[in-house]
Amino acid sequence: MPRSTLGALFEQARLQEKAERNQLLHSSLPHGGAAMKRLKDRAARKHPTTMAEKWHARLNGSPKPMEGQRRAAFVALVRADAMAVARVGQIDARLAVDRMRGAVEDGVWGQDVLKEDRALLLDVLGQLADPADHLYRQLNLKITPATQVACTDAQVLEKPKDLTSGSFASVFALKVENADGVAQDRVFKPLKAKEKGWVGSASGIPMDDPQAAIRNIATQSCAKKLGFDVIADTRLALIDTGRGPLDPDLGLLMERAPGKQARNADADWFKNPAVFAEVTKLQLLDHLTGQVDRHDNNYFIDVGPSGDVKVTGIDNDQCFGKDLLSPSDIRPIGGLPFHGTALPPVIDTGMARMLDVLGDDELHAMLDNQLSDDEVDATVSRLQGLRLHVEHLKSQGLVIEPAQWADPAMQAHFTAQNSYIGRERTKHQVF
């Protein structure tokens, strides 16, 4: 017998795979599934052939475009069908989607539906197969090296637990495995295409396109450039938060900040010289980024057994507003609902040096591919204002050496109006 050619073997394997796929779909969805039933019903209403179809069309009218809520309901049907295929075939949910898409492309499915509905079905299957692409478009999020997905369900060791059920914005606790195989506690915050009630809107952040991911990443970039280790490490992740693997959230995966929220910190910590220094770094960073939501629940303080201090700012969403041109504008003036203060009354030589060496062009290079032109220009304006403040402090002898943070005379300059540390000391009645 003649030997089979390589091409014939490939074709035989393809046909075998196709037969197995079709058998899987038939056993999983013996009547084509809920999604196909919906599309066939629409086709029968637009082009009725039997008497029953004609009566049905007369009663229900022509099918309306699959937009808005109708499309969302149809996506839910396709998702449910795919999960049924995954369960019966004991395969990954996205592989089940791939099997369904292959059947449509081969013409096994979708021959007796409307042309536009067949295209819709393929589009929805593509969305489910690659949810990241759909979510990036939905969020109007630019794809850059900094906004690449760094973690998926494959790295999740424990299912996300909702920490804020019923609150304004859900935040989840979870455990993930890093590149070295080490388990790490993380916090996951899904991104939204629109926001409500943001104080940041008063600083020029559009609520209908908030770009929270970019603002967090840009904040982290500025902190690293200044050498201020006061921001939670933040990356993007694609995580199933409970709706199923075909309906994940794209969101911010943040390190779980150690210690206590400033609101609940030990009163004695607000006498600690290192706490003074680290909180002042966070405050300076916020003046640069235009962060208007740094209340005492939005940063953590940790004082270790050996005296090491770590301050960590979280939820760095509401910053880089285009309307904040002065670094002191983050304070609540003119009835604005901001949670910042006036500029700090004392800084140390290391902080002054880092602000001095950060150039306008360097700031542009770092932020131009992340923020709008107006937002970058406003950040440069705030940086220039910070430099002027540093010069003023130098003239007053208030740029101190790091060892001087323990000096009670220096600490006495901090008030609730000009500093986070003074604000928190007042609340904790530390005198």
Side-chain angles (χ1 to χ4, degrees), residues 22-33 81-82 84-89:
N22 294 342
Q23 178 58 40
L24 169 62
L25 296 179
H26 178 72
S27 59
S28 307
L29 309 168
H31 303 291
D81 285 346
V85 174
R87 284 193 300 272
V88 172

Side-chain angles (χ1 to χ4, degrees), residues 7-321:
L9 290 174
F10 279 143
E11 178 63 14
Q12 182 180 357
R14 189 188 70 81
L15 292 174
Q16 177 65 25
E17 182 181 348
K18 181 177 178 180
E20 292 174 355
R21 179 200 68 196
N22 294 342
Q23 178 58 40
L24 169 62
L25 296 179
H26 178 72
S27 59
S28 307
L29 309 168
H31 303 291
M36 286 303 300
K37 182 179 183 301
R38 173 81 181 274
L39 297 186
K40 289 177 181 179
D41 175 72
R42 287 169 56 81
R45 285 164 58 193
K46 188 165 186 178
H47 301 298
T49 55
T50 68
M51 186 60 68
E53 289 174 351
K54 289 177 181 178
W55 275 108
H56 184 60
R58 184 177 297 177
L59 288 172
N60 294 281
S62 296
K64 295 181 173 64
M66 286 270 220
E67 299 171 349
Q69 292 184 343
R70 289 188 181 86
R71 180 186 171 106
F74 179 68
V75 172
L77 291 179
V78 179
R79 188 183 294 120
D81 285 346
M83 292 305 297
V85 174
R87 284 193 300 272
V88 172
Q90 296 183 333
I91 58 177
D92 179 80
R94 292 203 176 91
L95 183 57
V97 169
D98 185 65
R99 297 290 185 265
M100 293 170 65
R101 183 163 56 176
V104 178
E105 291 172 342
D106 287 348
V108 177
W109 278 7
Q111 289 182 328
D112 46 0
V113 303
L114 301 175
K115 181 180 179 181
E116 58 270 27
D117 283 354
R118 181 179 182 276
L120 170 67
L121 177 58
L122 284 171
D123 184 57
V124 171
L125 289 168
Q127 169 186 326
L128 297 180
D130 185 11
D133 179 68
H134 166 73
L135 291 170
Y136 273 89
R137 285 187 278 112
Q138 186 180 64
L139 294 164
N140 191 31
L141 179 58
K142 290 186 290 187
I143 299 177
T144 69
T147 62
Q148 296 283 346
V149 170
C151 180
T152 67
D153 290 325
Q155 287 84 50
V156 175
L157 300 175
E158 294 179 3
K159 290 184 178 180
K161 178 182 178 182
D162 195 343
L163 298 175
T164 54
S165 180
S167 71
F168 178 68
S170 290
V171 177
F172 299 85
L174 69 165
K175 194 179 292 289
V176 302
E177 184 179 53
N178 69 8
D180 298 324
V182 178
Q184 297 178 319
D185 290 320
R186 288 291 182 263
V187 173
F188 180 68
K189 183 178 181 181
L191 293 167
K192 297 180 181 180
K194 296 184 179 182
E195 290 288 354
K196 296 179 181 178
W198 260 26
V199 298
S201 62
S203 71
I205 300 174
M207 287 195 295
D208 59 351
D209 188 21
Q211 294 293 319
I214 292 294
R215 297 181 195 281
N216 274 271
I217 290 168
T219 297
Q220 190 169 247
S221 298
C222 289
K224 288 180 178 178
K225 182 63 68 173
L226 290 170
F228 294 173
D229 184 20
V230 292
I231 294 296
D233 180 69
T234 304
R235 300 160 191 261
L236 260 69
L238 190 67
I239 303 292
D240 170 19
T241 57
R243 296 189 302 270
L246 295 179
D247 193 14
D249 284 300
L250 183 64
L252 300 169
L253 187 70
M254 299 167 280
E255 68 172 306
R256 195 149 191 182
K260 301 177 181 180
Q261 289 171 306
R263 176 175 297 181
N264 303 317
D266 296 354
D268 285 348
W269 291 359
F270 295 104
K271 299 176 182 178
N272 187 313
V275 171
F276 263 85
E278 294 304 305
V279 173
T280 301
K281 288 179 184 177
L282 178 63
Q283 182 182 340
L284 284 171
L285 177 68
D286 287 350
H287 287 298
L288 174 63
T289 64
Q291 172 60 252
V292 296
D293 195 37
R294 190 68 71 201
H295 50 75
D296 55 5
N297 261 357
N298 264 1
Y299 74 98
F300 283 68
I301 301 173
D302 183 48
V303 179
S306 62
D308 295 337
V309 170
K310 179 78 169 72
V311 168
T312 309
I314 63 170
D315 286 347
N316 302 292
D317 304 338
Q318 305 193 55
C319 51
F320 295 105

